[in-house]
Amino acid sequence: MVSVKFYESAADELLKFAVIISRYQNKYVFCKHRDRDTWEVPGGHREPGEDITDTARRELYEETGALEYDLWPVCVYSVTAPDNLDGAETFGMLYFADIKRFEAELHSEIEQITLTECLPECLTYPDIQPVLMKEAARRRHL
């Protein structure tokens, strides 16, 4: 069973991921990796020595082509899953982005993005992404 928890803060060195719930013209932004048939919220792994907010900015650009946006931290989250890192709790920072402008083309592993008013049916992480979105909405970021 997957467990998702939320925290107000965590030690910086624990933050391994940045996930960015994004909206453009009042629609959610989801991306599709070229090797998968599912949709996901933009985000990814933190590079060694990288500030977690820089991770969020880099991933948002790489996965959506966002050029102009406002970005806010929402909270720290953790995921514990038996099939991930031997069930160890992993931490990330959840962000919200209001995107103003995209680049014309995507240049990374992302094949396409979609704009939608609700969650797509086929999510890459169906036990995690809806929980993150619900928490962002609860904290009044959506």
Side-chain angles (χ1 to χ4, degrees):
M1 181 173 158
V2 174
S3 171
V4 180
K5 296 179 184 175
F6 299 97
Y7 304 90
E8 293 308 313
S9 63
D12 182 69
E13 63 272 10
L14 291 177
L15 302 174
K16 305 296 184 199
F17 303 92
V19 172
I20 312 94
I21 297 171
S22 308
R23 299 209 16 125
Y24 174 75
Q25 296 181 350
N26 293 317
K27 293 188 177 183
Y28 295 110
V29 179
F30 287 90
C31 49
K32 187 178 111 28
H33 191 283
R34 64 175 55 125
D35 294 335
R36 295 190 274 275
D37 293 324
T38 54
W39 294 98
E40 54 198 71
V41 173
H45 293 83
R46 183 181 195 179
E47 299 293 331
E50 187 175 45
D51 179 83
I52 194 66
T53 300
D54 291 339
T55 302
R57 293 182 183 285
R58 176 180 52 77
E59 291 289 348
L60 186 62
Y61 171 73
E62 288 176 2
E63 297 196 352
T64 70
L67 293 174
E68 292 178 28
Y69 51 86
D70 294 319
L71 181 73
W72 299 276
V74 175
C75 64
V76 172
Y77 72 93
S78 74
V79 174
T80 305
D83 62 345
N84 183 38
L85 299 171
D86 295 324
E89 185 177 25
T90 58
F91 293 84
M93 180 63 79
L94 179 61
Y95 290 88
F96 173 76
D98 182 20
I99 300 172
K100 313 291 187 209
R101 184 170 67 94
F102 292 101
E103 193 167 47
E105 293 181 21
L106 295 171
H107 303 284
S108 69
E109 70 275 5
I110 300 301
E111 182 176 76
Q112 72 182 92
I113 62 170
T114 189
L115 306 174
T116 180
E117 293 181 6
C118 57
L119 283 167
E121 285 188 28
C122 297
L123 292 171
T124 305
Y125 306 103
D127 295 329
I128 300 170
Q129 294 170 341
V131 178
L132 297 179
M133 292 181 71
K134 184 176 179 179
E135 183 65 13
R138 187 185 76 75
R139 292 173 182 249
R140 303 192 193 292
H141 284 278
L142 297 179

